[in-house]
Amino acid sequence: MSPDRLSTTFAALADPTRRAILARLVSGQVSVTELAAPFEMSMPAISKHLKVLEHAGLIARGREAQWRPCRLEAGPLKNVAEWVENYRAFWEQSFDRLDDYLRELKMKEKKHVRKQRKN
Amino acid sequence: MSPDRLSTTFAALADPTRRAILARLVSGQVSVTELAAPFEMSMPAISKHLKVLEHAGLIARGREAQWRPCRLEAGPLKNVAEWVENYRAFWEQSFDRLDDYLRELKMKEKKHVRKQRKN
C-alpha cells in the first residue's frame, strides 16, 4: 500500500525530537542553527529530522541561500485534528461511563462504611 | 531515546489499515474474523496490525477463550486530540492569512478588469 498523506504525517509525528521542533516553530520561523541549539544532537541528525518534517509538509524552508529558516505549515496538523475529531463522541462517552462507574464505586463504599459503623 | 507514549500512538496510526480498523471499532466491539473480512489480507497480517494497536493501547481484546473481541480504547486518541489542539490557534491564523491574501488577489483582479473595460 502506498504511503498516504495522513500516514506520512503520523509517521513524522512519531518522534519526540520532531514534535519538539514543531513546538519551537509555533512562535515563528527559526534558523536551523537556532533550532538545533536546545538538542544534544549533531547537525546531520537534526537535518535528518527536518527532512522528515519537510517531506511530510509539516514544515517549509526559506529559499534564502545562506539563512534557510524553517517555518511551521498548518495543513497537515489541521488534517490530524479533523481525523481525531471523528473519535471525540467515542472518548467522551467512554469517560462519561468511567465517571459513572467511579461514582457508583464511591456510593457502594459509603454504604459499606455506614453499614460497618452501624454494626 | 526510549519510545514515549505519544510516539507509540502516532507510529500505530501511521498506517491506513490500522486506521480503518479503528474506524470499524467505533460502533462497538468486533471479533477478529469480522474485523479481517473487509481487508484483502491474511489473518497473520491482520493479527500483526492488531498487536501494534494493542501495544499502543488503542484497542483492547476480550479475555473470552474462543471469541476475543476487539474494542476501541479512548485514552490515546484523546491524547492525540489534546496534543494537536496546541496548534489550533496557529493553523486558524494561517488560514485567516490565506483568506486575506485571496481576498486581496480578488480585489486586485476586479480593479484590473474594471480598468481594462474603461480603456
Side-chain angles (χ1 to χ4, degrees):
Chain A
M1 203 172 285
S2 77
D4 59 301
R5 209 75 200 115
L6 204 49
S7 295
T8 308
T9 305
F10 280 131
L13 296 176
D15 182 280
T17 305
R18 290 200 287 269
R19 292 198 304 278
I21 290 173
L22 296 183
R24 179 86 171 71
L25 292 175
V26 170
S27 45
Q29 52 182 5
V30 173
S31 76
V32 176
T33 325
E34 281 176 276
L35 212 49
F39 301 104
E40 285 179 11
M41 258 186 204
S42 67
M43 280 303 277
I46 288 288
S47 287
K48 218 173 149 184
H49 281 311
L50 293 179
K51 258 180 208 155
V52 175
L53 290 171
E54 199 178 359
H55 172 69
L58 283 158
I59 66 165
R61 314 248 337 238
R63 290 281 150 230
E64 296 82 356
Q66 285 300 315
W67 192 68
R68 295 195 53 204
C70 299
R71 64 167 190 276
L72 193 57
E73 288 283 301
L77 290 170
K78 194 168 177 262
N79 293 342
V80 167
E82 281 167 358
W83 179 85
V84 82
E85 201 52 39
N86 296 324
Y87 294 88
R88 178 176 296 278
F90 174 79
W91 81 65
E92 282 180 350
Q93 263 175 32
S94 301
F95 286 104
D96 282 351
R97 273 200 301 271
L98 189 65
D99 274 349
D100 289 347
Y101 176 69
L102 292 176
R103 211 170 299 133
E104 211 176 290
L105 272 188
K106 250 186 204 166
M107 295 257 286
K108 274 186 190 163
E109 211 186 67
K110 267 188 194 168
K111 270 187 198 165
H112 182 70
V113 171
R114 248 180 265 150
K115 220 171 163 186
Q116 278 193 319
R117 277 185 191 154
K118 270 190 189 168
N119 297 341
Chain B
M1 203 171 288
S2 77
D4 60 300
R5 210 73 201 118
L6 204 50
S7 296
T8 308
T9 305
F10 280 131
L13 294 177
D15 182 280
T17 305
R18 290 200 287 269
R19 291 198 305 278
I21 291 173
L22 296 182
R24 178 85 171 73
L25 292 175
V26 170
S27 44
Q29 52 183 4
V30 172
S31 76
V32 176
T33 325
E34 281 175 277
L35 212 50
F39 301 105
E40 285 179 12
M41 259 186 202
S42 66
M43 281 302 279
I46 289 288
S47 289
K48 216 172 152 187
H49 281 311
L50 293 179
K51 258 181 208 153
V52 175
L53 290 171
E54 200 178 357
H55 172 69
L58 283 158
I59 66 165
R61 315 255 327 244
R63 289 280 151 233
E64 296 81 356
Q66 286 301 315
W67 192 68
R68 296 193 54 203
C70 300
R71 63 167 191 274
L72 194 58
E73 288 283 301
L77 290 170
K78 194 168 178 260
N79 293 342
V80 167
E82 281 166 0
W83 179 84
V84 83
E85 200 54 37
N86 296 324
Y87 294 88
R88 177 177 296 276
F90 175 78
W91 79 67
E92 282 180 350
Q93 263 174 34
S94 300
F95 287 105
D96 282 351
R97 273 200 302 272
L98 190 64
D99 275 348
D100 289 348
Y101 176 68
L102 292 177
R103 211 170 298 133
E104 211 177 289
L105 272 189
K106 250 186 204 166
M107 296 257 286
K108 274 185 190 164
E109 211 185 66
K110 267 187 195 168
K111 271 186 197 165
H112 182 71
V113 170
R114 248 180 266 151
K115 219 174 167 185
Q116 278 192 318
R117 278 187 191 152
K118 269 189 189 170
N119 298 339

